Amino acid sequence: MATTTPNFGWPVPTSTDLVKDGATAIEALGDGVDASLVDLKGGTTGQILAKATSADMDFAWITNDVGDITAVTAGTGISGGGTSGAVTVTNSMATAITTKGDLVPGTGSGTFARLAAGNNGETLVADSSTSTGLRYTGNYAAGKNAIINGDFNINQRAFTSITASGTDQFGFDRWLTLGNTGTVTYTPQTFTPGAAPVAGYEGANFSRVATSGQSASNAYATLTQRIESVRTFAGQTVTVSFWAKADTGTPAISIVAGQSFGSGGSPSAFVTGSVAAGTTAKKTISTSWVRYSATLTIPSISGKTIGTTPNTSYLQFEFWLSAGTNFNTRTDSLGVQNNTIDIWGVQVEAGSVATAFQTASGSIAGELALAQRYYWRSSNTDIFSGHGNGSADTTTASSMVLINPVPMRIGATSIDFSTLCLFDGASAVVAVTGATLSRASNRSTTVALTVASGLTQFRPYALINNNNAAGYIGASAEL
Amino acid sequence: MNNVTFIEITDAMTGDVVEHALIDRGNGEFTSMPKSTYDAMQAEQSTPIDTGDE
């Protein structure tokens, strides 16, 4: 009988061993087998045998750790599962997301639904009336719009028409127009109730600039607002948004940001716009009210010198409505446009997204106060409405200290007036023939009033309308 | 076209005489400012819309 090599090294007798040695051989074999199987000894009910090490026949009794899962069942928020083999489960909340910006809010106990991302600039608010309890809405918060009177609601000057020239002329508060060659006419217009171009904001007025007869290379027509301090938005990205429409065709509007470093000393030169600098953008408009937005990069003022005269620098936003070829760089080759263009709802805000329109202050009173920082007018509908009190310096001159309705940017730099008189409470009124600035602070404006004759020296006088509701006196500290 | 006249006003406090520009804007409306302010404004016009011409 052939002898095989034992797998476990047991001392197996060979076929040629002597019979007389059989008992010894069997004992040795038995001992070998016993030693090999010693790890099988012991254990308790339910235990299983596991390899203790990688060595042959090295086992240990352990608690049964073999999985006892018989099924995977999808619970709330997941799907799939199974009872055998490879099982897949899927996060249903994740698959509800289909588009960038989607949210998956709860709709009740253990339920949810997709909430699509809102429009650019919208914010998320709680709203129990919706299925998800959330709603995207326009950001109507005040304080984000750097433009004052962006809805053209404030018209202290009561302007009815301005023929633009190379001199700043203000119509709606804070808005000035400039024009050259041809005829550029700036007028206030009134929305038919319910006709304002944005739902939920009942705009009252809009600006209209009508340009005609222009062709020259130096022609232009602009509507501009200057924002105090050249530091405003310096080095930042801003978004300018507005509604506009044209009378005919598809003209364009160029939106240009410019930086003035003020006066006094040796201020840096005016920085004008260009497409290359990111400070000019051109928008083609139509004959219907449409909202447009442009993102501009306001240049850094690092290395610049601001004028030494306080409060004279500014950032301005220009709406170019016509521009001869002299201004091609500044206006992205807007070109001469003899057209009538309407503008409303101007907003300038930090960032690259146009949010919902809101005035700077969010209220009529707030907007008026903001505007009066630059210009105020005392005007009333009564034919003898009063504006202030003072006394006569001479028989032909009187001084009045008029308290500014709000602290002005700086002391007033000019006065405007119409149809005024001085009244001492007893005698006949004396018509005012001149009103000039005597001295001014941010808190008050002192005016010197002149008359032809008839005042009594040192007698108190009231400055009132001269039997005409159109009378007024105003003070300007415009940029 | 606005009509501009220059008038001298004596300051009641100091007695200084200051020249002012009185601009007749028509319809009985006037704007006045110190002549120095007026002159600065006129100088600005020589560089239309703030250095606009290229």
Side-chain angles (χ1 to χ4, degrees):
Chain A
M1 186 171 76
T3 299
T4 59
T5 301
N7 289 316
F8 295 99
W10 296 335
V12 179
T14 65
S15 58
T16 59
D17 286 348
L18 298 176
V19 172
K20 68 178 181 69
D21 296 325
T24 301
I26 292 171
E27 181 184 10
L29 175 60
D31 288 345
V33 171
D34 181 71
S36 294
L37 300 182
V38 67
D39 285 352
L40 303 185
K41 189 178 178 183
T44 60
T45 302
Q47 285 191 316
I48 61 173
L49 202 58
K51 290 285 288 184
T53 69
S54 60
D56 291 339
M57 301 303 286
D58 186 11
F59 298 102
W61 291 102
I62 64 170
T63 300
N64 187 352
D65 62 354
V66 176
D68 60 357
I69 294 173
T70 58
V72 174
T73 303
T76 302
I78 58 175
S79 60
T83 57
S84 63
V87 172
T88 300
V89 292
T90 301
N91 181 347
S92 299
M93 296 180 76
T95 58
I97 297 171
T98 63
T99 310
K100 182 175 71 173
D102 282 356
L103 297 176
V104 186
T107 55
S109 176
T111 60
F112 55 85
R114 169 181 177 259
L115 177 63
N119 297 316
N120 282 346
E122 290 187 330
T123 56
L124 194 61
V125 297
D127 184 348
S128 62
S129 70
T130 67
S131 61
T132 61
L134 299 172
R135 176 172 53 87
Y136 281 99
T137 185
N139 176 11
Y140 294 97
K144 63 186 178 181
N145 189 354
I147 293 291
I148 296 171
N149 203 22
D151 67 348
F152 302 105
N153 193 49
I154 308 296
N155 183 11
Q156 290 189 90
R157 295 173 179 84
F159 92 111
T160 56
S161 181
I162 289 174
T163 300
S165 66
T167 301
D168 297 348
Q169 292 188 83
F170 287 86
F172 285 116
D173 279 63
R174 304 295 294 119
W175 289 100
L176 66 92
T177 186
L178 290 165
N180 192 41
T181 78
T183 302
V184 179
T185 307
Y186 174 31
T187 56
Q189 302 292 321
T190 303
F191 283 118
T192 301
V198 54
Y201 196 106
E202 189 58 41
N205 308 316
F206 58 95
S207 279
R208 170 169 290 171
V209 177
T211 305
S212 62
Q214 287 193 340
S215 61
S217 60
N218 63 347
Y220 58 79
T222 70
L223 194 60
T224 294
Q225 182 163 142
R226 293 174 180 149
I227 298 173
E228 206 168 333
S229 177
V230 75
R231 289 184 168 88
T232 304
F233 293 134
Q236 296 184 42
T237 296
V238 301
T239 296
V240 182
S241 55
F242 59 97
W243 279 261
K245 73 178 179 71
D247 186 40
T248 60
T250 55
I253 296 176
S254 289
I255 306 99
V256 180
Q259 292 173 306
S260 169
F261 291 85
S263 59
S266 302
S268 297
F270 187 90
V271 174
T272 188
S274 72
V275 173
T279 44
T280 293
K282 187 167 67 176
K283 298 292 176 181
T284 298
I285 66 173
S286 69
T287 54
S288 300
W289 283 113
V290 174
R291 192 185 196 197
Y292 303 91
S293 68
T295 298
L296 303 180
T297 303
I298 307 303
S300 166
I301 59 171
S302 177
K304 299 290 186 179
T305 301
I306 298 174
T308 54
T309 304
N311 303 318
T312 53
S313 71
Y314 57 81
L315 168 68
Q316 72 179 19
F317 288 92
E318 310 153 4
F319 291 78
W320 287 72
L321 312 171
S322 180
T325 54
N326 284 4
F327 304 99
N328 277 352
T329 301
R330 189 169 184 171
T331 66
D332 192 16
S333 301
L334 179 66
V336 166
Q337 301 182 131
N338 291 302
N339 207 323
T340 297
I341 294 176
D342 298 337
I343 295 178
W344 180 82
V346 182
Q347 181 161 279
V348 174
E349 58 194 309
S352 56
V353 173
T355 65
F357 173 75
Q358 180 58 277
T359 55
S361 64
S363 70
I364 295 173
E367 212 67 4
L368 176 60
L370 290 175
Q372 288 179 328
R373 178 174 168 79
Y374 304 86
Y375 177 84
W376 61 259
R377 175 175 288 192
S378 175
S379 58
N380 300 283
T381 56
D382 187 272
I383 59 174
F384 291 117
S385 287
H387 305 287
N389 295 289
S391 61
D393 304 321
T394 67
T395 57
T396 59
S398 172
S399 293
M400 297 270 170
V401 178
L402 305 177
I403 304 302
N404 299 333
V406 301
M408 299 189 79
R409 183 181 67 84
I410 56 174
T413 54
S414 68
I415 292 290
D416 54 13
F417 64 97
S418 180
T419 325
L420 299 172
C421 68
L422 294 172
F423 181 52
D424 64 3
S427 307
V429 298
V430 181
V432 171
T433 57
T436 56
L437 267 175
S438 178
R439 45 185 47 83
S441 73
N442 64 334
R443 293 279 181 179
S444 66
T445 305
T446 304
V447 294
L449 304 164
T450 54
V451 302
S453 63
L455 300 180
T456 301
Q457 191 176 29
F458 306 137
R459 177 176 290 182
Y461 283 90
L463 179 64
I464 64 175
N465 281 0
N466 191 6
N467 195 24
N468 191 325
Y472 67 84
I473 185 164
S476 174
E478 291 283 4
L479 286 160
Chain B
M1 178 65 97
N2 295 325
N3 294 316
V4 182
T5 57
F6 295 97
I7 56 176
E8 291 185 340
I9 300 294
T10 302
D11 189 307
M13 294 290 290
T14 65
D16 294 340
V17 175
V18 179
E19 193 171 14
H20 291 260
L22 184 62
I23 305 167
D24 184 347
R25 295 185 286 114
N27 299 320
E29 297 188 276
F30 297 86
T31 296
S32 72
M33 63 189 76
K35 185 174 183 299
S36 56
T37 303
Y38 178 81
D39 289 342
M41 190 177 73
Q42 293 300 111
E44 196 172 277
Q45 282 190 64
S46 64
T47 54
I49 49 179
D50 292 315
T51 70
D53 281 313
E54 281 122 3

